[in-house]
Amino acid sequence: MANKTAIGNHQQPPQQQQQPPPQQAGGSAKPASSIKQGNVLPLWGNEKTMNLNPLILTNILSSPYFKVQLYELKTYHEVVDEIYFKVTHIEPWEKGSRKTAGQTGMCGGVRGVGTGGIVSTAFCLLYKLFTLKLTRKQVMGLITHTDSPYIRGLGFMYIRYTQPPADLWDWYEPFLDDEEELDVKAGGGCVMTIGEMIRSFLTKLEWFSTLFPRIPVPVQKNLDQYLKTRPRKIGKKDGKDAVEDIERLSERRHSR
């Protein structure tokens, strides 16, 4: 990771951020959709909520961090800098802040619904990016950023929440074997590669204690077929363990 003083006073992002990702086996240098389409991104689903869980969105909008500190950030580059300095995981809630024990009735057995907690810095910044109405070029800048895997992680998550399901393969396919690592769990202990993370985004509806937008069945079948042509490459560690950790954590929290 680059020295954190390198970003400076919110000036232009690092030069290398603008470079396209390297050529990867079985993939093009950049998502096909960014070649075929213009710079204006479509939005899938709800154009106000970003398809976020209502409880998470309510906590974001009432968060002093979002209302005060992030309100002062007006540009894409300022928000990217904030991600670089502040984000250390990409769970929706901060560690230990969400209490689900003893719930009954409507909230008791519904996945992705609970009594709330302290919404994470990552998800506040994710929604802040949404309010900026990012262009295709800006999203490409996030997912190819070289200074922090968390900038990239939020970029890929932004795509999962906001882009048409039929476009997900074009966005994600060039990065399926990306080996840059990040710890996605609040408090640490769930390290996975970018490639493993986006494979999870394409195949799992759950992300810790929340849900991604549903992918229509015909699109999901196509994605599953595409993934069979791109089997996961096992490196120095088996990232399947990290995906299973996320699933176990989700099940444990929903069973409380």
Side-chain angles (χ1 to χ4, degrees), residues 8 15-16 18 22 28-29 39-40 56 61 77 93 114 120 125 139-140 144 173 175 183 196 202 221 229 233-234 237:
Q15 181 106 20
Q16 60 267 41
Q18 304 302 323
S28 57
N39 199 33
V40 177
I56 291 175
L61 296 177
H77 297 303
W93 305 101
S120 70
L125 284 158
V139 173
M140 281 298 300
T144 61
E173 189 269 343
F175 304 94
D183 196 330
E196 291 156 358
L202 288 171
K221 287 181 177 179
T229 70
K233 295 179 179 179
I234 306 300
K237 60 184 286 294

Side-chain angles (χ1 to χ4, degrees), residues 126 129-130 134 139 154-163:
L126 181 66
L129 288 169
F130 179 72
L134 299 184
V139 173
L154 285 186
F156 287 116
M157 189 168 284
Y158 183 91
I159 290 168
R160 182 62 180 84
Y161 271 109
T162 69
Q163 293 306 287

Side-chain angles (χ1 to χ4, degrees), residues 187-209:
C190 189
V191 176
M192 61 200 315
T193 68
I194 292 289
E196 291 156 358
M197 182 188 71
I198 61 178
R199 286 175 186 269
S200 175
F201 288 1
L202 288 171
T203 57
K204 307 292 183 184
L205 191 60
E206 286 202 352
W207 180 253
F208 289 97
S209 55

Side-chain angles (χ1 to χ4, degrees), residues 7 16 72 76 83 101 157 169 190 207 214 218 234:
I7 292 186
Q16 60 267 41
E72 299 296 324
Y76 165 81
I83 297 170
M157 189 168 284
W169 183 255
C190 189
W207 180 253
R214 289 189 178 276
I234 306 300

Side-chain angles (χ1 to χ4, degrees), residues 54-64 66 93 115-119 124:
L55 183 66
I56 291 175
L57 181 59
T58 298
N59 277 266
I60 289 172
L61 296 177
S62 62
S63 163
F66 182 82
W93 305 101
T115 56
I118 300 174
V119 70
C124 286

